[in-house]
Amino acid sequence: MKKQVTLWQDYFKGIWEINPAFKQILGTCPTLAVTATVENGIAMALATTFVLTFSSFIISLMRKLIPSQVRIASYIVVIATFVTIVDLVMKAQFPELSKSLGPFIPLIVVNCIILGRAEAFASKNGPLRSVLDALGNGTGFLIALVALSAIRELFGSRSVLGLQILPDTFEPMIVMILPAGAFITYGLLLGFSNTLAERKKRIAQEELVRKYKPVQKAGSEEIISQEA
Amino acid sequence: MELFIIFISAAVVNNFVLAYFLGICPFIGVSNKLSSASSMGMATTFVMVLTAIVSYLLYNFILVPFGLEFLQIPSFILVIASLVQFVEMVIKKISQPLYRALGIFLPLITTNCAILGLALFISMRDYNFIESVIFGVGAGAGFTLALVIMAGIREELELADVPKGFRGAPITLITAGILALAFMGFAGMI
Amino acid sequence: MSLFSFAKKTFRGGVHPFEHKEMTENLAFEIMPDPPTVIVPLSQHIGKQATPIVKKGSVVSLGSVVAEPQGFVSIPIHSPVSGKVMNIHREPNTSGYPKDAIIIQTDTTIEGSEKFEPLNYETISGEAIRERVRIAGLVGQGGAAFPTFIKLSPPDGKKIDYVILNGCECEPYLTRDYRLMLEKSEDVVVGLNLIMKAVGVENGIIGIEDNKPEAIEKLKGVATRFKNIKVEVLETKYPQGAEKMLIRACVGREVPPGKLPMDAGVIVQNIGTATAIYDAVVKGEPQLYAALTVTGKGINSPKNLMVKVGTPLQEVLDYCGGVKEEAVKVIVGGPMMGIAQFDFSAPVMKATSGIVVLTKEEVNEHPETPCLKCGKCIEACPINLVPTKLSRYSQLERYEDAEDLNITSCMECGTCTFTCPANIPLVQWIRLGKQKVIELQKEKKTA
Amino acid sequence: MKTAIHMIATLLIIGAISGGLLSGISNWADPLIAMNKQKATEEAIFLVQPEGKSYEHLNAPGVEIYKVFDGSNKPIGYSLAYEGNGFQGKIRVMVGLSSDLNKIVSMEVLEQVETPGLGTKVTESHYKDQFKNLVTVPSLNWVKEGTAPKENEVIAITGATISSKAVVAIINDGMTKLRKLQQGGKL
Amino acid sequence: MSTPTANPVYKLELTSSPHVHSRWNTKQAMWLVIISLLPPVVASVLFYGFYQLFVILVSVGVCVGTEALIKKARHKEVTISDGSAAITGLLLALILPPNFSLFFTAIGAIFAIAIGKEIFGGLGYNIFNPALVGRAFLQAAFPVAMTTWAIPNFSDAVSKATPLAAFKFEKITADLGAMFMGNISGSIGETSGLAVLLGGIFLIVIGVVNWRVPLAMVLGVIVFGGIFWLIDPSKYPNPFFHLLAGGFMFGAFYMATDWVTSPLTGKGMWMYGGGISLIIVVIRLFGGLPEGVMYAILFMNGFVPLINKYTKPRVFGEVK
Ligand SMILES: Cc1cc2nc3c(=O)[nH]c(=O)nc-3n(C[C@H](O)[C@H](O)[C@H](O)COP(=O)(O)O)c2cc1C
Ligand SMILES: Cc1cc2nc3c(=O)[nH]c(=O)nc-3n(C[C@H](O)[C@H](O)[C@H](O)COP(=O)(O)O)c2cc1C
Ligand SMILES: Cc1cc2nc3c(=O)[nH]c(=O)nc-3n(C[C@H](O)[C@H](O)[C@H](O)COP(=O)(O)O)c2cc1C
Ligand SMILES: Cc1cc2nc3c(=O)[nH]c(=O)nc-3n(C[C@H](O)[C@H](O)[C@H](O)CO)c2cc1C
Ligand code: SF4
Ligand code: SF4
Ligand code: SF4
Ligand code: SF4
Ligand code: FES
C-alpha cells in the first residue's frame, strides 16, 4: 500500500510540485522556442519525454556499473544516443515537423531537465521509479508547453492546433509568435503561478495561525498584515 | 564585409539569447549580479570560440570524410565537455585569480545549449574556418551583451517594488521580452 | 542658470533655497535682559563634558568658572549670570537628548564679575592667544561647537597655509554672521588676525556670499589695513559654508574623505568665533553670550539678539512676541541643518546661531513618492554622492552596498532632501545608514 | 589503476553500443532522408515548370540550376534555385524560366523566416502569381501599391515592402549570374 | 530627570532636518509635462481631424484605469492623481499613426501600463519607457495598422508615405520646411516639428527636462548623420533631414528625457543621448525598418542601469 503511494507520488510530483517549466525553470530554451504553435509544443514535449524516459531507464539500470568519475560523460553519451535516434526518425518520417522544430531536437541533449533528472533521480533509484519520474516530468513539461503554446497560438494566429477559434474580425497579434511574445507570455504565466502558490501558502499559514491562536485575534491580524 | 556581417548578425541582429532562445538558463540563472554575469559572458565567449574551431575541424575532417555524420550530436557534446574540462585545467594552472573568478561558471557551460547550438549552426550553415571563428566570437559577444544588460537591470530591480510573485525569473523573462522588442529594431540589418 | 555662473568662485553642486533673510537682515543686535533662571549645560561642545566645581546652593558671580574641563577635548564653563546654584541635574537640551546642566537662579544683588586681563592684540604671542582662548571656553560658532583652542593648535608637522573665516551664512533665514560682519567689522578682522597669529599663518581669507554686498564692502574696507587678509566673494549657494566647500571655493583645494581641513593645510573658523576670540583676547571676556537670529514667519517679531547662554528657549520666544498659532516647526539652528524642538525649556547654548519658527507654507511639504531617478539629488550633492541609492540601500538595510558607495562621506547637509521632487527624506535615511555603517566598521575592527 | 581501466572500459563499452545502435538506425534513416530531400527538390522544380516531365542538374559554378524537359524530352526552360537576405533572414526561391531567360514561368518561395502574417505573405498566391509571365529584361522591378505595374514590375505587399523587395532583388541577382553563364555558353 | 514640558499650544512637527523643501514635487512636474504637450495635441487635431481626440481620450483613460486597477489588486494606494499614467497615455496616443483603431489603442495602453510600468513596481521603478513599450508592442502585434499613414490636412502631398519610408524605399528626400511645419505624414503628435519644439523648450526652460539629453541627441544625429552624408551625399540624406524626420524631435524632447528611464548623472546623459542618436542613424540607414527612434530609446533604456553604475561621480576630495 505504502509503495503504491510513493509510486504515484513519483509520477505526479512532476506535474505540479516540481514541474520542470514552472517550478524548476529548466528546459527554458525549448519552452520558449517551440511554443509558437500547439503542434510544435506537443511534438517537442513528446520528443523530450521519449529521450527522458529511455535515458532515465538505461541510466537507472547502469547506475551501479558506472564509476562516478565518468558518470556525467556516460549520461551524456546515453542521452545523445537517444536524441540522435529521435532526430533521425523525425527527419525520415516527419520532415515538415523536423524542419519547424529546427535545431531544437538536437538540443534536447543539453536540455537540463534530462541531465537534471538523471543526476537527481535515475542515478539513485530503480528503473521502475525512474521511468515513472521521467514520465511525470515529461507530462509536466507537456502541460506547460501546451499551456504556453495555446495562449500564443490563440492570440498570434487566432487558432489552437490549427483550428481557428477567434473570429476573423480579431486581428492576430503577430508579436505573440515572435520571441518577445514568448518571453512575456512565459514570464506572465510564471509570475501568476508563483503568485497563486504564494497566496495558497499564505492562506494555509493563516489557517494555522487561526487554528492555534484562536484567542489572539489581533495577533493573527498583525501577522497577516506583515505578510501583505 | 561578409565576416563583419556574420559578426553583427550573431551579436546583435540574431542575438542568440533574444532571438534564437539559446542559453536561456544561464541567462536567467547568472544574470542577477553584474560581476558574475561578465565573468560568465567571458568564459562562455572563450569556450564558444574554441568550440567553433574544434567542431569545425571535427566535422569537416573526421565526421564527413568517414561518413559518420550521425555521430554529430554525441561527438560534439563530448568535445564540448572535454573542452570545458581542459579550459578549466589550463586556467587553474596559469592563473589562480582567473580560476577563482571563472571556476564555478565553467561546468555550467557544458550544459549550455548555446554552445552546442553554435556547433550545430556551423555545420548546418557550411561556414568555412574563418567564418566559424568569427561566428563564435559574435555569438559570444552577443551572449555577453545580453547577459550584462540584464544583470545591470536586475541589480537595479532589486531596489524596485516588483510584485512578490514576479521577482526573479518571471520579471527577468518579461524584461527579456521587452529587450527582444527593442532588438527588433535591428531586424533587416543583416 | 548654472551655465552662466562659472565666473564666480564656488564648488560643484548645491542648491539655492529661498533666502528669507529680509526679515532680520536690517535689524541690529539687541541685548536681551537676563532671564530669571539660566540652565547651563555642562556639555556645549564636542568632546567630554565639563566637571562642575560648584554645588547646589553655591553662590556664583557673573563670569566665574562653574565647571572645569575634563580631558583634552573639553572646555571650562563660566556662569553667565550672578546668582545661586539651584540644582545640578539632567535637563532638556536643544540636541533632543537631555544633558546634565547647572541651574542658576539670577540674583542681581550679587556684586562683582570676573574678567580676564585685556591684552594687546598687536604684541601678543601665539601661545598666549591659545591659552586665552582655552580658558575663555570658546567653541566654534559654525554649528559643530568644536573647542576652538584645539583647532588653533595643529599638531607638529602639519603645515597650515591659510586661515579662512566663514562668512557664508548659507543657511536661509539666518542673519547672525551678517549682522556681526556689519556691526563688528573691526572685531572680525582683528579676530582673524589673532587666529593667524596663533597658528603662525601668513594668509587670511574671509569668504562671503555675494548676497551680502554691504558686509563685503565693509570688511574689504577694514581688511585693507591688514597685510595678507583678503575678502573672497562667493556665489550664493547652499552649502557654501560647509568647510570642504568653502575651502574648495576659496583656495581650490579638496579635503579628502575622512580627512580634516588641516590635512589640506587650511583652518576654517566662523565669523562668530572670530568675534568671540576678539572679545576674549582684547576685552578679556569669557563666552557668556550667544549671538543669534530669531526669525521665520511663525514668530511675531523677528530679531537679532545677544542672549545669555543658558536662557530657556521659551524666554527668547516670548521676548520676540511669542509664537504664532500657524507655526508648525521651531528649529534651533538653520532650517537646513537645525534641530526641531519640542521642549522649549531647553536652553540656548554657546554655539546656538538661531531659532527659526516656520509655518506650513514655508515648510513646503508634499507627499512622498518613489524615486523618479531625476538625478537632481546627484547634481546637487556637493560631495558627489548618489543620495538616491544611498537612501534606498539604507532603507533596505543593505549597508555593505551603502558603504561601497561612500555613505560615510556624507556631511548630512540635507541638500539632497531639499531638492528631491519625490520628497524622499534622503538625508534622514542616509544619516541612519551612516550610523549603522560606522557601527559595523567598528565591530569589524574589534573583531 | 584498476579504477582507471574500469572508467575507460565503461566509456568504451557505452560508446561502442551507442555507435553501433546509431549506425544501424542511420543506415535505415539516411536513404529516407535523402529521398525526402530529393522529393522536395523535384516537386519544386516541376512546380515552377508545370509542363516539365524530367530534368537535368546542370553543373554550373555558384548557382543551382536545372534544365527542364517536357514529355517529348524537348528542353522547355530552366528552374533556378537561389537565395538571399530578406527582412529577418535568408529567403530561398525557385524560379522557372523560359529557355531564353527573358520570361519567368512561375516562382515559388522554398524557405523563408520572415515575420508570420507579414513577410510570409510573399509565399501567398496573390504575391507570387504576379511573377507568372513576368518579363525579366532589363531586370525586375517593384512598385508600391496603387501604382500600375509595367510588364517587368510587381506590386509590393503593404507592410512587407522589405520582403517583397528582397524577393525581386534575389531573382535579379540570380539572373545576372545566369546571364553570365549563358554568355559563356555554359548553359 | 525632569519631564519634558511638551508645549500643548502648538501643533509641532518633529521631523529632522532639512526643514524646508524646494518647490519641486512629483505631481507638479508631471502636470507641467501634460501642459507642455498641448501644442502637439492641438497640432494633431488640426492636421488629422477630430477623431484623434478620441484616440487620445481612450489612451489616457485606459492607462489611468489600468494603473488604478493594478494598484487596487496589489492593495496599494491608488496614485493616479500624480499624472504619470496620464502622461503615458497621452504620449502613447501621440506616437500612433492617424486614425488608429480605438481597440488597438486600448490594447497598447493596457500593455504600456501593465507590462511597461506596474510589473516593475509602478512609478519610478520601470526600466523601459512605458509609452514606448506600448508602441513597440503594437508595432510588433499589428505591423500593418501601425504603418498605415494618412495625408495631413493643408498638405498638397499625394503620397501617404512618411518621409522616412519614402527615403528608405524610394530614395526621395522630403522638403525640410514642410517637415518642420507639419505638412508631411507621420504619427499624429510628431508631425509638426514646430509644436514639439514649442513644448520641449517650455520644459527645458522651466527646468523639468534636463537639457543634456536633447542636446546630446541633436548633436549626435548631426555628427553621425553628417559623417555618412559626407561620405556619399547622393546615397545618404543630409543630417538635418534626420533631425526633422519621423519621431526624432518628439523622442528627444518628451521620451528620451523621461526621468525614470534616463541616466542619473550628467555624463551618463551625454552617453545615453549619443547612443540613442547613433542607433537611430544606423537603423535608418542600414536597417530594414524606416524609423528607429523608438527602438533606439528602448535599447538605451536597457543600458541605463549600467551607465549609472559606471558614471558614478568621483567622491569629493578623492583622488583617482
Ligand atoms: C552643510 C554645512 C553647512 C555649513 N554652513 C556654514 C556656514 O554657512 N557658515 C559657517 O560659519 N559654518 C558653516 N558650517 C560649518 C563649517 O563647516 C565649519 O565647521 C565652521 O565654519 C568651522 O568654524 P568654527 O569652528 O568656528 O565653527 C557648515 C557645515 C555644514 C556641514
Ligand atoms: C574628533 C575630532 C577631532 C578634530 N580635530 C581637529 C584638529 O585637530 N584640528 C582642527 O583644526 N580641527 C579638528 N576638528 C574639527 C573639524 O575640522 C571641524 O572643524 C569640526 O568638526 C566642525 O566642523 P563643522 O562645523 O563643519 O561640522 C576635529 C573634529 C573632530 C570631530
Ligand atoms: C514586428 C515586425 C515585423 C516585421 N516583419 C516584416 C517582414 O516580415 N517583412 C517585411 O517586409 N517587413 C516587415 N516589417 C517591416 C515593416 O512592416 C515595414 O514598415 C514595412 O516593410 C514597410 O512597408 P510599407 O512601406 O508598406 O509600410 C516588420 C515590422 C515589424 C515591426
Ligand atoms: C520629463 C518627463 C518625460 C516623461 N516621458 C514619458 C514618456 O516618454 N513615456 C511615459 O510613459 N511616461 C513619461 N513620463 C511620465 C513618467 O515619468 C513615466 O510614466 C514613468 O516612466 C513611470 O514610472 C515622463 C515624465 C517626465 C517628467
Ligand atoms: S540547458 Fe540549454 S535548453 Fe536547457 S534550459 Fe539550459 S539553456 Fe535552456
Ligand atoms: S547655521 Fe549652519 S549654515 Fe548657517 S552659519 Fe551656522 S553652520 Fe553655517
Ligand atoms: S546630505 Fe549627504 S548625500 Fe545629501 S547632499 Fe549632503 S552630502 Fe550629499
Ligand atoms: S532627487 Fe529624489 S527623485 Fe530625483 S533622483 Fe534623487 S531621490 Fe530620486
Ligand atoms: S544657500 Fe546659497 S550658498 Fe548657502
Side-chain angles (χ1 to χ4, degrees), chain C residues 179-188 275 279 306:
Chain C
R179 287 312 304 179
L180 285 177
M181 285 189 276
L182 282 188
E183 294 176 32
K184 302 190 171 187
S185 339
E186 194 76 36
D187 304 13
V188 168
T275 57
D279 290 346
M306 291 286 184

Side-chain angles (χ1 to χ4, degrees), chain A residues 56-71 74-75 122-127, chain D residues 6 10 14:
Chain A
S56 279
F57 180 66
I58 301 285
I59 286 167
S60 158
L61 279 182
M62 304 194 310
R63 69 186 190 279
K64 299 211 171 100
L65 304 174
I66 302 175
S68 68
Q69 295 92 327
V70 291
R71 197 178 66 236
S74 316
Y75 297 168
S123 64
K124 301 190 182 89
N125 291 292
Chain D
H6 189 177
T10 320
I14 295 177

Side-chain angles (χ1 to χ4, degrees), chain D residues 86-122:
Chain D
F87 179 76
Q88 301 251 53
K90 288 237 169 348
I91 298 180
R92 187 174 168 80
V93 298
M94 181 75 92
V95 194
L97 292 161
S98 61
S99 293
D100 57 4
L101 300 187
N102 284 346
K103 231 177 197 176
I104 291 177
V105 179
S106 140
M107 187 278 295
E108 205 55 52
V109 178
L110 300 183
E111 283 169 32
Q112 49 81 23
V113 283
E114 302 300 278
T115 316
L118 268 189
T120 52
K121 285 192 181 146
V122 296

Side-chain angles (χ1 to χ4, degrees), chain A:
Chain A
M1 190 58 212
K2 200 172 167 223
K3 191 153 188 210
Q4 209 75 36
V5 172
T6 52
L7 283 183
W8 271 120
Q9 183 58 20
D10 281 337
Y11 177 72
F12 271 112
K13 71 178 187 307
I15 292 176
W16 179 246
E17 236 173 282
I18 58 160
N19 185 303
F22 286 137
K23 288 299 163 78
Q24 305 178 55
I25 318 195
L26 293 179
T28 326
C29 312
T31 304
L32 290 167
V34 303
T35 47
T37 64
V38 180
E39 189 188 350
N40 285 354
I42 293 177
M44 184 67 196
L46 292 183
T48 307
T49 310
F50 172 84
V51 176
L52 180 57
T53 311
F54 279 90
S55 36
S56 279
F57 180 66
I58 301 285
I59 286 167
S60 158
L61 279 182
M62 304 194 310
R63 69 186 190 279
K64 299 211 171 100
L65 304 174
I66 302 175
S68 68
Q69 295 92 327
V70 291
R71 197 178 66 236
I72 301 284
S74 316
Y75 297 168
I76 289 179
V77 177
V78 172
I79 296 169
T81 309
F82 285 108
V83 171
T84 311
I85 293 174
V86 174
D87 192 31
L88 290 173
V89 170
M90 298 253 304
K91 273 196 185 131
Q93 299 292 347
F94 313 101
E96 288 298 308
L97 202 56
S98 155
K99 217 171 178 183
S100 64
L101 291 180
F104 284 92
I105 293 288
L107 286 177
I108 294 176
V109 137
V110 275
N111 188 321
C112 8
I113 300 178
I114 299 179
L115 203 62
R117 291 329 288 168
E119 178 74 354
F121 203 92
S123 64
K124 301 190 182 89
N125 291 292
L128 177 62
R129 293 192 61 195
S130 299
V131 166
L132 283 175
D133 175 74
L135 286 173
N137 275 277
T139 316
F141 194 48
L142 177 73
I143 290 173
L145 291 202
V146 168
L148 197 56
S149 55
I151 295 176
R152 290 183 63 195
E153 192 179 337
L154 182 67
F155 290 108
S157 326
R158 294 193 284 233
S159 58
V160 170
L161 266 175
L163 292 171
Q164 184 167 344
I165 306 266
L166 293 177
D168 277 341
T169 46
F170 181 87
E171 184 86 10
M173 292 160 68
I174 290 163
V175 65
M176 295 302 284
I177 44 189
L178 300 178
F183 280 117
I184 290 168
T185 314
Y186 187 24
L188 285 178
L189 275 180
L190 206 57
F192 284 126
S193 92
N194 280 354
T195 310
L196 223 68
E198 210 140 282
R199 180 173 306 161
K200 243 188 201 159
K201 216 165 74 192
R202 208 179 58 219
I203 290 175
Q205 227 168 33
E206 281 165 24
E207 199 76 1
L208 264 180
V209 171
R210 217 165 290 140
K211 235 186 224 157
Y212 291 105
K213 282 192 185 166
V215 205
Q216 289 183 346
K217 251 218 167 117
S220 72
E221 263 167 28
E222 219 175 320
I223 287 173
I224 294 162
S225 63
Q226 266 174 7
E227 275 285 313

